[in-house]
Amino acid sequence: MKVCIAEKPSVAREIAAILGANTKHDGYFEGNGYAVTFTFGHLCTLFEPNDYKAYWKSWDLNNLPMLPEKFQTKVVENSGIQKQFKIVKKLFEQAEVVINCGDAGQEGELIQRWVMHQANYKGEVKRLWISSLTTEAIKEGFNNLKPSQNYDNLYYAGFSRAIGDWLLGMNATRLYTLKHGGYKQMLSVGRVQTPTLAMVVNRFKEIEDFKPLPYWELQTLYKDTLFSYEEGRFLKMKDGEIMAQKVKEKDLEIVSINKKKGFEYAPKLFDLTGLQVYCNTKFGFTADETLKMVQKLYEQKVVTYPRVDTTFLPNDVYPKVPGILQKLTNYSKLTQSILGKKIRKSSKVFNDNKVTDHHAIIPTGVQIKLQYNQQQVYDTIVRRFIAVFHEDCQVANTTVIGQVDTINFKTTGKEILSKGWKVVFENADVKSKEAGVLPTFVKGEKGPHEPSFLEKQTKPSKQFTEATLLRAMETAGKQVDDDEMRELMKENGIGRPSTRANIIETLFRRKYIKRNKKQVLPTPTGIQLIDTIQNDLLKSAELTGQWEKQLKDIEKGTFSAATFIANMKKMVDELVYEVRSETTRANISHTIVTIPEKAAESEIKKPGITAESCPKCKHGTLLKGKAAYGCNAYKEGCNFVLPFTFKGKKISEKQWLRLLAKGYTVNLKGFKNEDPNSDRSIEGLVRFNELFQLVLETKKKEQKIVDTLNCPKCKNGTVVKGKTAYGCTEYKNGCDFRFGFGDIKSKAADRPLTKELVVSILMEGYS
């Protein structure tokens, strides 16, 4: 009998159906010469300290360091897990061959190898290695089963990672808790979580200690276009004032117009971190939420394996691309133009050298009904995939130099000549307005201008968001904006794509960091813990990134697992000696930590609207002007504004903040009635339209409609609200009118679900 072991019951069920193992037993499926069983994630785990030596159960400095000679595993102490392990072991005893169907990654390999080792299975093992759970992919995988030995290095890397985390986590947590923990305060220290916390703390302190410096900018307005002094900013006001006075006296002359054509390339396909960053920035999803949603999409067969760290595809995927695009019928308007000719094959997308176990996350071509948030993540992946096969976007970059006397001023603009891939990200219902297009200038023309001399201040770095923290983990704390450079630095990042979200959630759970809207800030406990840890190896993202590089080298077969473990033991031994020798005790506790006065002020002081990002361009932040709040990226063409007064009513900052956070204000009274025959004011809420312009949605008199709404399909029954959908009371007589809550939410977009809106959606859906 061939025994297949999958990582989850749901995956086992899919595989069993394809193999013809249709008889269900307790803990496995059987049929057609196969038994398909499963784990529940980790059935086995590493020994606890007291499993090695009984006295290691006691938290005592004299017991440290704990350095087992040989690391061992055991079945997790849970009755359900132990029952399933016995079923698996019994099946292994009857197996002629075991097929490892675990997730095709380091963790999936480790989970199943530990089970086989614990069950003392010595027979032949084959590996199912697939990138999606579609029927075609599973069949193709079973036709091309690999020898288990091909993945030995992957297992060694996973085992080394688990041992490294055990050595540092178990020893350092006990060490710092016993040496510096306050009353009932455990201080958790980890190989990845501690340098991640250190990055958040260091950024917070850098901002707290930042002292703004003044500088001055000389600009001038000509033909409604802003020109800036070509040499940049002034650090001394006197120097700038002299020049500002000088340019007031003469006209500006256009002395140079330089227009260069160029290309903008489609954004890269998604790896997991890139997807988490995008979804945090665009939708506000946490890294953990995005991971769970894309994992669900994978299990629903609509996208490929998500826990990946590459943005490239191998060349053997290229022949499958037309088939995937043809199946994406919901996106046919975007795929028609590329399916009508030979599909582009770019080295920016296809590169065998950039792909190891898995390729970038792409759609499989399977289309099903998805929940609203899942649909947002799926749509993001699909559009990114379609975009890379469209033509490059052609642009014309223009630089214009204007001269006043001998002083040069410069302005730049960009004109899109051919949209190319950008059409994929346009809303079909919204006419896109090209920003940054300059008026026509002629060399030699002259005219009056309006100079201005402005004082500004330097600004600190921004606090981390989950998106920027994920990027910092990926590049070991280095600020890297270039996609190509980021690819090169991935090997030295901290954590793995699949674990970074959990690391961040762990820091939240242990109250070392907290959320302030989108910001990720350290708590007083987190700050004091990092201040207490003197050892750079524990705090340095760069040094931790070097450990990650060694683990990747173990996976490649170029570094020894034994050397890695020996180095970790040596480091832990030295750390214990170092910390035990410290003469001061921090006494860290949630209850006694005091917040520095400056930090306390910053906690109490609310940042207000000027700390908010622009919802339209996503790049700028909001500034307060004389009559409105606006985006500071106005020079780049962003025209987003929030006026202090809208339709005759003054809107408070609090309501604008609510609009930015939720997409609409509460119902407000006092808006000016545009009907000249009426003196009555209007009540309603303010929301954005698709162009981020303000719209007043007037409040209508409440109608008790839904309770008595006639069915728009059969006309006989009435509409009633069920647990998951609205339906017709005449369903027993054959009326199949049904409108799911998810469909209603999707059609409502960001509008609040008022009773009137629900009724109109129900009526429109069957009109």
Side-chain angles (χ1 to χ4, degrees), residues 738-750:
R738 188 180 184 280
F739 222 104
F741 295 163
D743 296 330
I744 288 174
K745 197 172 182 182
S746 177
K747 284 186 175 289
D750 294 326

Side-chain angles (χ1 to χ4, degrees), residues 91-284:
L91 289 170
F92 281 178
E93 289 167 357
Q94 304 167 42
E96 61 185 75
V97 61
V98 168
I99 302 171
N100 178 355
C101 303
D103 269 7
Q106 194 181 101
E107 194 76 3
E109 191 67 24
L110 185 69
I111 286 170
Q112 307 299 18
R113 292 277 189 122
W114 276 359
V115 171
M116 288 181 237
H117 173 76
Q118 197 67 32
N120 200 29
Y121 177 74
K122 303 292 186 185
E124 184 186 5
V125 181
K126 294 282 189 181
R127 186 61 158 106
L128 175 71
W129 194 268
I130 53 178
S131 288
S132 77
L133 291 175
T134 61
T135 301
E136 294 82 359
I138 293 172
K139 284 181 178 178
E140 187 179 333
F142 269 94
N143 288 332
N144 293 282
L145 292 172
K146 310 290 184 186
S148 181
Q149 296 91 319
N150 290 9
Y151 303 94
D152 283 351
N153 288 332
L154 187 68
Y155 167 62
Y156 299 150
F159 205 175
S160 300
R161 181 185 296 279
I163 290 170
D165 289 343
W166 191 101
L167 281 168
L168 195 59
M170 291 289 186
N171 283 285
T173 295
R174 292 189 180 197
L175 179 65
Y176 280 94
T177 299
L178 293 166
K179 185 72 178 179
H180 297 293
Y183 177 67
K184 290 187 177 179
Q185 177 67 59
M186 187 184 83
L187 300 178
S188 176
V189 178
R191 187 178 60 85
V192 179
Q193 74 171 43
T194 303
T196 303
L197 174 60
M199 288 194 295
V200 177
V201 170
N202 293 340
R203 176 67 62 87
F204 179 78
K205 286 184 171 183
E206 179 189 320
I207 294 169
E208 287 291 303
D209 297 338
F210 182 80
K211 291 182 174 58
L213 297 172
Y215 66 92
W216 291 263
E217 284 187 352
L218 178 60
Q219 299 171 330
T220 192
L221 195 68
Y222 175 70
K223 277 193 174 181
D224 290 326
T225 303
L226 196 65
F227 286 72
S228 297
Y229 176 55
E230 195 174 24
E231 300 296 319
R233 60 181 60 170
F234 295 93
L235 300 179
K236 293 181 181 178
M237 184 172 72
K238 189 177 179 182
D239 295 344
E241 282 180 330
I242 294 169
M243 205 163 284
Q245 194 60 42
K246 189 175 179 182
V247 299
K248 278 183 181 177
E249 300 163 4
K250 296 187 178 179
D251 286 351
L252 181 142
E253 179 183 357
I254 301 299
V255 296
S256 167
I257 302 169
N258 188 9
K259 195 169 187 177
K260 282 186 179 177
K261 289 185 179 180
F263 295 97
E264 287 186 4
Y265 303 111
K268 287 183 173 293
L269 295 171
F270 283 116
D271 59 7
L272 178 58
T273 302
L275 183 65
Q276 289 170 315
V277 167
Y278 184 90
C279 290
N280 181 253
T281 305
K282 176 109 175 159
F283 309 121

